[in-house]
Amino acid sequence: MATARDVDVPSLVSAAREGNPRAVARLISLVEDAHPALREVMAALAPATGRAHVVGLTGAPGVGKSTTTNALVAAYRARGQRVGVLAVDPSSPFSGGALLGDRIRMSEHAADPEVFIRSMASRGHLGGLSWAAPQALRVLDAAGCDVVLLETVGVGQSEVEVARAADTTVVLVAPGMGDGIQAAKAGILEVADVLAVNKADRADAARTTRDLRHMVAMAERDEQGWRTPVVRMVATSGEGVTDLVEAVDEHRVALGPEGLRARRRRRAAGEVEALALEALRARVAALPGEHRLDALAAEVVDGRTDPWAAADRLVAELG
Ligand code: GDP
């Protein structure tokens, strides 16, 4: 069993803060493993966080997220910025490395010491990635990244979960697949701060763009008076990527310090809640007596009590 003492937290944290890629990778692995040293790591990182702008990238599989991430990394690097990429698969219970692969298309940036790329799966965490992704973001933030791209990988991902973790959420749509109407149905328009119609080299891209612009024009502006722009791009050639970068910049300006704080409060609330629920689960498991939850469940099955009363007793026993 791993213990907090297995890890030399102060030296790892100071190396990560200097931007040492191995230290950054190790810290993110600790997050993935829910390692006991995380408590100390997060306490040490806390004062160094809050600088990176977190850009969420989401959309249906095949829409061009990883190609776009790649193009965005190049664009931010051209501005001299340090970039982190966190590819998460909220749906996968499997170990990260194998399933998500090493993101071969990112390899053109792999040797760049100013680019940190990590993929992460939930590894069967209770609460999925709801606390793990924000903590991996903290690591990348503390490592001095100006921008962190948070990309969802895999099928059935929850756009909403990713949107909750980002400062700016970009939703990618491609003509002919998840087109405008489907996007609206899936509720992704609500989470999009920026809509990008990728694969604009396709014939039906103009129609998809028009439909989305029409839908956006009918929607209410958000609290900051922001109206979701619809950007057209071709991620494979890089066409339109500058427009996407500009739209993200403009959203950040529109958010302002207050809007940004509100987003981050929401992210931290999700994180704190997930950790607290996990702590509660651990306390339920540690209640005296053999499998307290099982015993209560048996009473419910036998009709000796009802689930509400059983839950009340469980909560009362937690004190
Ligand atoms: P993801 O599953 O959302 O990450 O999508 P990928 O980035 O892996 O892209 C899926 C496929 O679409 C790949 O074969 C890409 O080369 C291709 N693709 C991505 N962007 C474009 C584009 O702008 N135009 C065209 N024609 N193909 C693209």
PDB file of all heavy atoms in Angstrom, residues 204-225:
ATOM      1  N   ASP A 204     -20.883  21.050 -46.751  1.00  0.00           N
ATOM      2  CA  ASP A 204     -22.051  21.463 -45.968  1.00  0.00           C
ATOM      3  C   ASP A 204     -21.701  22.307 -44.733  1.00  0.00           C
ATOM      4  O   ASP A 204     -22.560  22.583 -43.893  1.00  0.00           O
ATOM      5  CB  ASP A 204     -22.885  20.239 -45.561  1.00  0.00           C
ATOM      6  CG  ASP A 204     -22.011  19.072 -45.125  1.00  0.00           C
ATOM      7  OD1 ASP A 204     -20.765  19.194 -45.211  1.00  0.00           O
ATOM      8  OD2 ASP A 204     -22.558  18.041 -44.694  1.00  0.00           O
ATOM      9  N   ALA A 205     -20.444  22.749 -44.657  1.00  0.00           N
ATOM     10  CA  ALA A 205     -20.018  23.522 -43.481  1.00  0.00           C
ATOM     11  C   ALA A 205     -20.742  24.866 -43.395  1.00  0.00           C
ATOM     12  O   ALA A 205     -21.083  25.322 -42.301  1.00  0.00           O
ATOM     13  CB  ALA A 205     -18.508  23.745 -43.512  1.00  0.00           C
ATOM     14  N   ALA A 206     -20.991  25.478 -44.538  1.00  0.00           N
ATOM     15  CA  ALA A 206     -21.623  26.804 -44.534  1.00  0.00           C
ATOM     16  C   ALA A 206     -23.023  26.721 -43.917  1.00  0.00           C
ATOM     17  O   ALA A 206     -23.421  27.578 -43.129  1.00  0.00           O
ATOM     18  CB  ALA A 206     -21.692  27.358 -45.951  1.00  0.00           C
ATOM     19  N   ARG A 207     -23.735  25.649 -44.251  1.00  0.00           N
ATOM     20  CA  ARG A 207     -25.093  25.514 -43.729  1.00  0.00           C
ATOM     21  C   ARG A 207     -25.070  25.303 -42.210  1.00  0.00           C
ATOM     22  O   ARG A 207     -25.826  25.916 -41.460  1.00  0.00           O
ATOM     23  CB  ARG A 207     -25.812  24.341 -44.414  1.00  0.00           C
ATOM     24  CG  ARG A 207     -27.288  24.249 -44.062  1.00  0.00           C
ATOM     25  CD  ARG A 207     -27.960  23.051 -44.712  1.00  0.00           C
ATOM     26  NE  ARG A 207     -27.339  21.785 -44.334  1.00  0.00           N
ATOM     27  CZ  ARG A 207     -27.614  21.127 -43.207  1.00  0.00           C
ATOM     28  NH1 ARG A 207     -28.506  21.606 -42.366  1.00  0.00           N
ATOM     29  NH2 ARG A 207     -27.007  19.996 -42.914  1.00  0.00           N
ATOM     30  N   THR A 208     -24.153  24.419 -41.761  1.00  0.00           N
ATOM     31  CA  THR A 208     -24.039  24.170 -40.316  1.00  0.00           C
ATOM     32  C   THR A 208     -23.706  25.475 -39.583  1.00  0.00           C
ATOM     33  O   THR A 208     -24.286  25.777 -38.534  1.00  0.00           O
ATOM     34  CB  THR A 208     -22.935  23.120 -40.046  1.00  0.00           C
ATOM     35  OG1 THR A 208     -23.252  21.951 -40.781  1.00  0.00           O
ATOM     36  CG2 THR A 208     -22.824  22.787 -38.578  1.00  0.00           C
ATOM     37  N   THR A 209     -22.791  26.244 -40.151  1.00  0.00           N
ATOM     38  CA  THR A 209     -22.390  27.509 -39.519  1.00  0.00           C
ATOM     39  C   THR A 209     -23.589  28.457 -39.447  1.00  0.00           C
ATOM     40  O   THR A 209     -23.844  29.074 -38.407  1.00  0.00           O
ATOM     41  CB  THR A 209     -21.258  28.174 -40.339  1.00  0.00           C
ATOM     42  OG1 THR A 209     -20.229  27.207 -40.540  1.00  0.00           O
ATOM     43  CG2 THR A 209     -20.681  29.383 -39.625  1.00  0.00           C
ATOM     44  N   ARG A 210     -24.324  28.542 -40.547  1.00  0.00           N
ATOM     45  CA  ARG A 210     -25.486  29.431 -40.590  1.00  0.00           C
ATOM     46  C   ARG A 210     -26.524  29.009 -39.541  1.00  0.00           C
ATOM     47  O   ARG A 210     -27.037  29.834 -38.782  1.00  0.00           O
ATOM     48  CB  ARG A 210     -26.100  29.370 -41.998  1.00  0.00           C
ATOM     49  CG  ARG A 210     -26.870  30.618 -42.397  1.00  0.00           C
ATOM     50  CD  ARG A 210     -27.302  30.562 -43.844  1.00  0.00           C
ATOM     51  NE  ARG A 210     -27.909  29.286 -44.201  1.00  0.00           N
ATOM     52  CZ  ARG A 210     -27.502  28.496 -45.209  1.00  0.00           C
ATOM     53  NH1 ARG A 210     -26.487  28.860 -45.960  1.00  0.00           N
ATOM     54  NH2 ARG A 210     -28.113  27.357 -45.466  1.00  0.00           N
ATOM     55  N   ASP A 211     -26.802  27.713 -39.488  1.00  0.00           N
ATOM     56  CA  ASP A 211     -27.779  27.204 -38.506  1.00  0.00           C
ATOM     57  C   ASP A 211     -27.357  27.557 -37.076  1.00  0.00           C
ATOM     58  O   ASP A 211     -28.168  28.016 -36.267  1.00  0.00           O
ATOM     59  CB  ASP A 211     -27.880  25.666 -38.581  1.00  0.00           C
ATOM     60  CG  ASP A 211     -28.608  25.213 -39.842  1.00  0.00           C
ATOM     61  OD1 ASP A 211     -29.150  26.090 -40.561  1.00  0.00           O
ATOM     62  OD2 ASP A 211     -28.614  23.983 -40.101  1.00  0.00           O
ATOM     63  N   LEU A 212     -26.077  27.329 -36.795  1.00  0.00           N
ATOM     64  CA  LEU A 212     -25.600  27.593 -35.431  1.00  0.00           C
ATOM     65  C   LEU A 212     -25.659  29.080 -35.118  1.00  0.00           C
ATOM     66  O   LEU A 212     -26.044  29.478 -34.020  1.00  0.00           O
ATOM     67  CB  LEU A 212     -24.174  27.058 -35.249  1.00  0.00           C
ATOM     68  CG  LEU A 212     -24.059  25.540 -35.115  1.00  0.00           C
ATOM     69  CD1 LEU A 212     -22.602  25.121 -35.148  1.00  0.00           C
ATOM     70  CD2 LEU A 212     -24.700  25.054 -33.810  1.00  0.00           C
ATOM     71  N   ARG A 213     -25.263  29.913 -36.083  1.00  0.00           N
ATOM     72  CA  ARG A 213     -25.296  31.369 -35.842  1.00  0.00           C
ATOM     73  C   ARG A 213     -26.722  31.816 -35.569  1.00  0.00           C
ATOM     74  O   ARG A 213     -26.967  32.657 -34.708  1.00  0.00           O
ATOM     75  CB  ARG A 213     -24.715  32.117 -37.043  1.00  0.00           C
ATOM     76  CG  ARG A 213     -23.211  31.953 -37.094  1.00  0.00           C
ATOM     77  CD  ARG A 213     -22.525  33.016 -37.939  1.00  0.00           C
ATOM     78  NE  ARG A 213     -21.085  32.871 -37.758  1.00  0.00           N
ATOM     79  CZ  ARG A 213     -20.199  32.817 -38.743  1.00  0.00           C
ATOM     80  NH1 ARG A 213     -20.591  32.961 -39.996  1.00  0.00           N
ATOM     81  NH2 ARG A 213     -18.913  32.672 -38.474  1.00  0.00           N
ATOM     82  N   HIS A 214     -27.649  31.215 -36.292  1.00  0.00           N
ATOM     83  CA  HIS A 214     -29.050  31.546 -36.114  1.00  0.00           C
ATOM     84  C   HIS A 214     -29.503  31.173 -34.696  1.00  0.00           C
ATOM     85  O   HIS A 214     -30.133  31.959 -33.989  1.00  0.00           O
ATOM     86  CB  HIS A 214     -29.873  30.788 -37.170  1.00  0.00           C
ATOM     87  CG  HIS A 214     -31.312  31.143 -37.161  1.00  0.00           C
ATOM     88  ND1 HIS A 214     -31.768  32.403 -37.484  1.00  0.00           N
ATOM     89  CD2 HIS A 214     -32.408  30.409 -36.850  1.00  0.00           C
ATOM     90  CE1 HIS A 214     -33.086  32.427 -37.370  1.00  0.00           C
ATOM     91  NE2 HIS A 214     -33.500  31.229 -36.986  1.00  0.00           N
ATOM     92  N   MET A 215     -29.105  29.967 -34.284  1.00  0.00           N
ATOM     93  CA  MET A 215     -29.504  29.502 -32.949  1.00  0.00           C
ATOM     94  C   MET A 215     -28.900  30.369 -31.853  1.00  0.00           C
ATOM     95  O   MET A 215     -29.561  30.705 -30.868  1.00  0.00           O
ATOM     96  CB  MET A 215     -29.055  28.061 -32.752  1.00  0.00           C
ATOM     97  CG  MET A 215     -30.122  27.077 -33.178  1.00  0.00           C
ATOM     98  SD  MET A 215     -29.568  25.422 -32.826  1.00  0.00           S
ATOM     99  CE  MET A 215     -29.231  24.869 -34.447  1.00  0.00           C
ATOM    100  N   VAL A 216     -27.633  30.708 -32.037  1.00  0.00           N
ATOM    101  CA  VAL A 216     -26.937  31.529 -31.045  1.00  0.00           C
ATOM    102  C   VAL A 216     -27.572  32.919 -30.960  1.00  0.00           C
ATOM    103  O   VAL A 216     -27.734  33.486 -29.868  1.00  0.00           O
ATOM    104  CB  VAL A 216     -25.427  31.619 -31.410  1.00  0.00           C
ATOM    105  CG1 VAL A 216     -24.763  32.756 -30.665  1.00  0.00           C
ATOM    106  CG2 VAL A 216     -24.738  30.297 -31.112  1.00  0.00           C
ATOM    107  N   ALA A 217     -27.978  33.446 -32.114  1.00  0.00           N
ATOM    108  CA  ALA A 217     -28.580  34.789 -32.137  1.00  0.00           C
ATOM    109  C   ALA A 217     -29.897  34.823 -31.364  1.00  0.00           C
ATOM    110  O   ALA A 217     -30.279  35.856 -30.821  1.00  0.00           O
ATOM    111  CB  ALA A 217     -28.806  35.231 -33.586  1.00  0.00           C
ATOM    112  N   MET A 218     -30.556  33.683 -31.288  1.00  0.00           N
ATOM    113  CA  MET A 218     -31.835  33.641 -30.569  1.00  0.00           C
ATOM    114  C   MET A 218     -31.653  33.433 -29.071  1.00  0.00           C
ATOM    115  O   MET A 218     -32.556  33.696 -28.295  1.00  0.00           O
ATOM    116  CB  MET A 218     -32.712  32.515 -31.124  1.00  0.00           C
ATOM    117  CG  MET A 218     -33.198  32.819 -32.538  1.00  0.00           C
ATOM    118  SD  MET A 218     -34.468  31.684 -33.078  1.00  0.00           S
ATOM    119  CE  MET A 218     -33.676  30.113 -32.833  1.00  0.00           C
ATOM    120  N   ALA A 219     -30.464  32.955 -28.704  1.00  0.00           N
ATOM    121  CA  ALA A 219     -30.231  32.660 -27.283  1.00  0.00           C
ATOM    122  C   ALA A 219     -29.963  33.952 -26.517  1.00  0.00           C
ATOM    123  O   ALA A 219     -29.542  34.956 -27.083  1.00  0.00           O
ATOM    124  CB  ALA A 219     -29.048  31.703 -27.147  1.00  0.00           C
ATOM    125  N   GLU A 220     -30.198  33.885 -25.216  1.00  0.00           N
ATOM    126  CA  GLU A 220     -29.919  35.028 -24.344  1.00  0.00           C
ATOM    127  C   GLU A 220     -28.411  35.204 -24.207  1.00  0.00           C
ATOM    128  O   GLU A 220     -27.669  34.234 -24.229  1.00  0.00           O
ATOM    129  CB  GLU A 220     -30.461  34.740 -22.934  1.00  0.00           C
ATOM    130  CG  GLU A 220     -31.928  34.466 -22.855  1.00  0.00           C
ATOM    131  CD  GLU A 220     -32.709  35.726 -22.518  1.00  0.00           C
ATOM    132  OE1 GLU A 220     -32.206  36.520 -21.703  1.00  0.00           O
ATOM    133  OE2 GLU A 220     -33.802  35.912 -23.095  1.00  0.00           O
ATOM    134  N   ARG A 221     -27.982  36.436 -24.004  1.00  0.00           N
ATOM    135  CA  ARG A 221     -26.574  36.651 -23.657  1.00  0.00           C
ATOM    136  C   ARG A 221     -26.352  36.164 -22.226  1.00  0.00           C
ATOM    137  O   ARG A 221     -27.289  36.122 -21.431  1.00  0.00           O
ATOM    138  CB  ARG A 221     -26.236  38.141 -23.728  1.00  0.00           C
ATOM    139  CG  ARG A 221     -26.170  38.667 -25.143  1.00  0.00           C
ATOM    140  CD  ARG A 221     -25.969  40.160 -25.151  1.00  0.00           C
ATOM    141  NE  ARG A 221     -25.989  40.666 -26.517  1.00  0.00           N
ATOM    142  CZ  ARG A 221     -24.907  40.776 -27.289  1.00  0.00           C
ATOM    143  NH1 ARG A 221     -23.730  40.432 -26.816  1.00  0.00           N
ATOM    144  NH2 ARG A 221     -24.991  41.238 -28.514  1.00  0.00           N
ATOM    145  N   ASP A 222     -25.115  35.789 -21.889  1.00  0.00           N
ATOM    146  CA  ASP A 222     -24.875  35.312 -20.524  1.00  0.00           C
ATOM    147  C   ASP A 222     -24.654  36.503 -19.568  1.00  0.00           C
ATOM    148  O   ASP A 222     -24.788  37.662 -19.971  1.00  0.00           O
ATOM    149  CB  ASP A 222     -23.735  34.282 -20.478  1.00  0.00           C
ATOM    150  CG  ASP A 222     -22.361  34.915 -20.668  1.00  0.00           C
ATOM    151  OD1 ASP A 222     -22.266  36.153 -20.735  1.00  0.00           O
ATOM    152  OD2 ASP A 222     -21.385  34.153 -20.744  1.00  0.00           O
ATOM    153  N   GLU A 223     -24.313  36.186 -18.313  1.00  0.00           N
ATOM    154  CA  GLU A 223     -24.200  37.248 -17.288  1.00  0.00           C
ATOM    155  C   GLU A 223     -23.220  38.347 -17.675  1.00  0.00           C
ATOM    156  O   GLU A 223     -23.379  39.492 -17.280  1.00  0.00           O
ATOM    157  CB  GLU A 223     -23.743  36.686 -15.926  1.00  0.00           C
ATOM    158  CG  GLU A 223     -24.454  35.450 -15.414  1.00  0.00           C
ATOM    159  CD  GLU A 223     -23.764  34.173 -15.865  1.00  0.00           C
ATOM    160  OE1 GLU A 223     -22.792  33.778 -15.231  1.00  0.00           O
ATOM    161  OE2 GLU A 223     -24.207  33.570 -16.864  1.00  0.00           O
ATOM    162  N   GLN A 224     -22.195  37.960 -18.417  1.00  0.00           N
ATOM    163  CA  GLN A 224     -21.200  38.968 -18.811  1.00  0.00           C
ATOM    164  C   GLN A 224     -21.578  39.666 -20.122  1.00  0.00           C
ATOM    165  O   GLN A 224     -20.790  40.432 -20.664  1.00  0.00           O
ATOM    166  CB  GLN A 224     -19.816  38.326 -18.976  1.00  0.00           C
ATOM    167  CG  GLN A 224     -19.066  38.092 -17.666  1.00  0.00           C
ATOM    168  CD  GLN A 224     -19.499  36.809 -16.993  1.00  0.00           C
ATOM    169  OE1 GLN A 224     -19.832  35.826 -17.642  1.00  0.00           O
ATOM    170  NE2 GLN A 224     -19.501  36.818 -15.680  1.00  0.00           N
ATOM    171  N   GLY A 225     -22.767  39.383 -20.621  1.00  0.00           N
ATOM    172  CA  GLY A 225     -23.176  40.005 -21.882  1.00  0.00           C
ATOM    173  C   GLY A 225     -22.503  39.344 -23.084  1.00  0.00           C
ATOM    174  O   GLY A 225     -22.481  39.895 -24.182  1.00  0.00           O
TER     175      GLY A 225
END
